[in-house]
Amino acid sequence: MATTTTLVELGDEIHLEIGSPSDLTAASIVVWLQSNIGLLNDVINVGYDIVSGLAVPALDIVDKVIFKKLYFIHYYDRKLRATLNLATSDSVIEITEGGATVRRLNKTEQAKVYKELKNTENEELKLLTANYRMNNSVPLSVDGKDTIEGYYSPTYTTTDPRPRLPQG
């Protein structure tokens, strides 16, 4: 069932679902959603467009979930890249001086977590899109051997509804 949800509302939902990080605003999520409506169209083979901040036609509940998954994959990919960039410049993980120890978070381990989160979101997206396509597909034709071939008389007319037996 399609409900009218603006992209601003969807961006707010996404922002809340990822924990309202301080380095990310709902407005930047909305910009990403507007820019990537074509990606949603490609993934689920539909034809959405953005008109005055609304997806036209209205997004279905499953469409929203798939669109959110696409954003989560983008978000974790961005975090993964940022963490790996920091890992190349941070070579010191632990410093001990005068009985005090300062330990930094290992960026490589943090990158592994982001990679795992991204992979999980990708797997969920694959399942969602496969189910979406299965539920929204229609058969192109119905063929089978369960039909009985009939006989149609060449002399049959619409004024005489009785079937004719073959001659000869």
Side-chain angles (χ1 to χ4, degrees):
M1 177 178 180
T3 58
T4 305
T5 303
T6 65
L7 292 182
V8 172
E9 292 169 340
L10 190 58
D12 286 338
E13 284 179 30
I14 292 171
H15 192 253
L16 289 173
E17 285 182 27
I18 57 177
S20 302
S22 59
D23 64 335
L24 181 67
T25 64
S28 64
I29 296 171
V30 171
V31 170
W32 187 92
L33 293 172
Q34 289 173 338
S35 301
N36 288 280
I37 193 74
L39 178 61
L40 176 67
N41 289 338
D42 289 343
V43 168
I44 58 177
N45 197 23
V46 292
Y48 288 113
D49 198 8
I50 304 295
V51 177
S52 301
L54 291 171
V56 177
L59 290 171
D60 193 345
I61 292 171
V62 179
D63 300 338
K64 288 180 193 176
V65 172
I66 291 172
F67 210 8
K68 286 180 184 181
K69 287 288 175 203
L70 290 170
Y71 184 80
F72 294 152
I73 291 167
H74 162 75
Y75 175 75
Y76 290 127
D77 185 55
R78 206 176 86 207
K79 293 299 242 179
L80 175 63
R81 289 173 191 264
T83 303
L84 288 174
N85 284 338
L86 290 174
T88 59
S89 63
D90 286 343
S91 60
V92 179
I93 296 175
E94 185 176 331
I95 298 174
T96 304
E97 185 177 317
T101 302
V102 175
R103 177 174 279 164
R104 295 186 68 147
L105 183 62
N106 187 346
K107 298 295 182 186
T108 307
E109 292 300 318
Q110 189 177 7
K112 287 179 186 177
V113 170
Y114 285 130
K115 184 174 192 244
E116 187 60 36
L117 287 169
K118 181 183 170 191
N119 288 343
T120 301
E121 295 293 340
N122 265 323
E123 289 302 315
E124 289 177 7
L125 178 66
K126 285 179 187 176
L127 289 172
L128 282 169
T129 54
N131 288 336
Y132 183 91
R133 290 178 183 151
M134 179 71 76
N135 291 333
N136 292 332
S137 64
V138 293
L140 298 175
S141 67
V142 180
D143 298 331
K145 295 184 178 185
D146 58 342
T147 58
I148 300 171
E149 186 176 333
Y151 173 77
Y152 301 98
S153 171
T155 59
Y156 175 79
T157 63
T158 56
T159 57
D160 185 9
R162 296 176 289 158
R164 304 279 183 200
L165 293 176
Q167 303 291 326

